[in-house]
Amino acid sequence: AIYCGYKTPTSEVIRIVTELQQQDPVKYANLFQAMHLCATRAIDAIQQANWVLLGNLFDQHHELQAALGTSDQVLDRLKHTLSAQPEIY
């Protein structure tokens, strides 16, 4: 785990996502469905000890978080820096 240097309060994140969802409900329904599928597949990957797949699913989920509006440049840089390390899935 890495601390990015700040924490956005959960209530603020919910407010942001709710406002964006109201502007484009179909997009957000699709994002939530994709996030659910990603999480379900991650459970399977953990149960099968498939760490490479789990790492790929983490990457996919991060992209979904970005599309959701809950990522930023700091988090994106951390993710890309870590993803460049071959020993980190």
Side-chain angles (χ1 to χ4, degrees):
I2 295 176
Y3 179 59
C4 67
Y6 63 90
K7 180 191 180 324
T8 305
T10 302
S11 60
E12 177 69 12
V13 175
I14 291 170
R15 184 190 63 74
I16 291 167
V17 172
T18 298
E19 288 177 3
L20 292 170
Q21 182 183 17
Q22 289 171 350
Q23 295 172 21
D24 195 345
V26 172
K27 173 185 174 182
Y28 280 78
N30 290 334
L31 283 171
F32 293 140
Q33 182 178 14
M35 292 172 89
H36 175 77
L37 178 60
C38 192
T40 301
R41 291 183 65 209
I43 291 168
D44 292 340
I46 291 168
Q47 291 172 338
Q48 297 169 12
N50 188 338
W51 311 126
V52 173
L53 175 58
L54 183 63
N56 289 334
L57 291 166
F58 282 163
D59 286 343
Q60 289 175 24
H61 199 274
H62 177 83
E63 297 303 320
L64 292 167
Q65 288 287 133
L68 192 68
T70 57
S71 190
D72 61 22
Q73 290 180 351
V74 172
L75 298 174
D76 292 346
R77 263 195 315 273
L78 281 171
K79 183 259 182 201
H80 290 295
T81 299
L82 293 171
S83 294
Q85 304 300 315
E87 66 276 6
I88 297 177
Y89 300 119

